[in-house]
């Protein structure tokens, strides 16, 4: 595998208070001192400031799970990029399937969010993925291409250097039924070809693509050893500190 850097990203979803977050990070720090890989935690909005303070100057990056596309305005209950930036978020998950399916986020809206994050200097982690129905109907590539092309329309080559894509098949999220490494690798290769079409082989081909969906200590090594899988986005298994530490250890190899 050489010296390739691997992202291990925890997505806590709507779990843990600020106090839990600080406690978790304190206990996680001794385990990440030596790691070459990039350890990231997407925490609830309310924990970003304290978590960032705790993680400052360490190997852990703190990010958000969503962001509005406007910088401010009458959007009750929403959070803007400058607020996230000030709180210490260095990255933001955009277009997570739960946002798309539960909160009706469209490709066009996600496109505006990606642009806003890039303008604010917050690294967007663009999440894409097909539903089981779409996969069974043979539409996987078409769906993913549309998600990528729409969200990334107008993104420049230099901006594309500050972008991460996460492939998360909807049928694998929180179901315990992860994709096989082979299926994921095949899809990652396809996404890489779309990114190369958009941004050229050097930049598009260089975008990190993470796999997410029921990643666990039992299956993580299989994903990481694939050539086109640059890391993992982990929901459920990131909530338990010991399990997340195990994942980080397994990604070192
Ligand atoms: P999961 O979630 O690991 O619990 O399947 C992944 C995600 O939603 O990012």
């Amino acid at each position: 595998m050489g010296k390739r850097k691997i992202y291990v990203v925890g997505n806590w979803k709507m779990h843990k208070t600020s106090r839990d977050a600080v406690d978790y990070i304190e206990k996680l720090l001794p385990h990440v001192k030596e790691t070459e890989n990039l350890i990231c935690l997407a925490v609830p909005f309310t924990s970003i400031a304290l978590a960032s303070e705790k993680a400052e100057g360490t190997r852990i990056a703190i990010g958000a799970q969503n962001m509005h596309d406007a910088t401010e305005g009458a959007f009750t209950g929403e959070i803007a990029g400058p607020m996230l930036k000030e709180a210490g978020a260095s990255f933001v998950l955009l277009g997570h399937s739960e946002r798309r399916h539960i909160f009706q986020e469209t490709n066009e809206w996600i496109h505006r969010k990606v642009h806003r994050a890039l303008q604010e200097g917050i690294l967007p982690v663009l999440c894409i993925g097909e539903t089981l129905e779409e996969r069974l109907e043979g539409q996987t590539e078409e769906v993913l291409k549309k998600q990528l092309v729409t969200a990334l329309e107008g993104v420049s080559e230099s901006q594309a250097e500050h972008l991460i894509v996460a492939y998360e098949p909807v049928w694998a999220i929180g179901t315990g039924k992860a994709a096989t490494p082979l299926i994921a690798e095949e899809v990652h290769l396809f996404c890489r070809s779309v990114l190369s079409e958009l941004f050229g082989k050097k930049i598009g081909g260089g975008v990190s693509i993470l796999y997410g969906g029921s990643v666990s200590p039992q299956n993580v090594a299989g994903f990481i050893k694939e050539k086109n899988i640059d890391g993992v986005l982990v929901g459920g298994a990131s909530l338990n500190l010991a399990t997340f530490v195990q994942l980080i250890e397994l990604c070192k190899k």
Side-chain angles (χ1 to χ4, degrees):
M1 202 173 75
K3 279 257 170 239
R4 186 165 66 112
K5 279 206 173 41
I6 295 290
Y7 286 87
V8 186
V9 185
N11 172 13
W12 286 357
K13 310 192 179 187
M14 201 171 72
H15 294 279
K16 299 191 189 295
T17 64
S18 304
R19 196 176 295 177
D20 296 335
V22 168
D23 185 52
Y24 184 109
I25 293 167
E26 256 168 19
K27 292 187 178 132
L28 177 59
L29 280 173
H31 299 280
V32 299
K33 276 204 178 110
E34 308 284 307
T35 186
E36 292 259 301
N37 292 335
L38 300 148
I39 313 302
C40 308
L41 291 174
V43 303
F45 293 139
T46 48
S47 298
I48 293 173
L50 275 180
S52 301
E53 210 174 283
K54 205 74 235 162
E56 202 182 337
T58 74
R59 315 284 310 172
I60 304 170
I62 301 297
Q65 302 168 13
N66 181 30
M67 189 192 84
H68 198 275
D69 63 292
T71 50
E72 61 179 5
F75 300 107
T76 302
E78 288 290 320
I79 298 279
M83 300 170 187
L84 294 181
K85 189 100 200 263
E86 188 192 67
S90 57
F91 71 94
V92 60
L93 305 183
L94 294 178
H96 187 279
S97 86
E98 285 147 21
R99 299 298 318 170
R100 291 177 189 263
H101 298 285
I102 307 173
F103 300 98
Q104 279 80 45
E105 287 192 16
T106 60
N107 283 328
E108 287 69 25
W109 197 7
I110 295 159
H111 158 79
R112 296 200 299 274
K113 292 181 181 217
V114 167
H115 278 271
R116 179 61 65 199
L118 289 167
Q119 277 160 19
E120 298 295 339
I122 303 174
L123 181 88
V125 179
L126 170 63
C127 305
I128 58 170
E130 81 287 2
T131 62
L132 183 61
E133 206 175 44
E134 288 162 344
R135 172 160 285 269
L136 294 177
E137 292 192 355
Q139 295 168 347
T140 300
E141 294 195 347
E142 189 189 321
V143 167
L144 297 175
K145 186 165 185 176
K146 178 137 181 61
Q147 291 176 343
L148 280 173
V149 171
T150 312
L152 299 176
E153 199 193 328
V155 170
S156 69
E157 284 180 18
S158 63
Q159 285 177 317
E161 290 186 281
H162 306 282
L163 172 79
I164 294 177
V165 169
Y167 168 57
E168 297 202 300
V170 180
W171 44 271
I173 296 179
T175 58
K177 292 187 187 119
T180 63
L182 204 67
I183 289 180
E185 171 67 6
E186 226 172 70
V187 172
H188 282 223
L189 198 60
F190 171 74
C191 294
R192 215 173 274 299
S193 74
V194 175
L195 291 163
S196 300
E197 271 172 45
L198 291 173
F199 305 112
K201 217 172 162 46
K202 186 159 173 273
I203 292 174
V207 172
S208 294
I209 309 177
L210 319 183
Y211 168 78
S214 296
V215 171
S216 70
Q218 286 70 45
N219 61 26
V220 72
F223 292 112
I224 293 304
K225 73 175 191 333
E226 294 294 343
K227 192 160 163 267
N228 288 287
I229 300 182
D230 304 306
V232 282
L233 177 51
V234 189
S238 72
L239 293 176
N240 179 280
L241 178 77
T243 313
F244 194 57
V245 167
Q246 228 181 324
L247 285 169
I248 292 171
E249 290 297 320
L250 288 161
C251 287
K252 271 186 191 163
K253 292 169 190 144

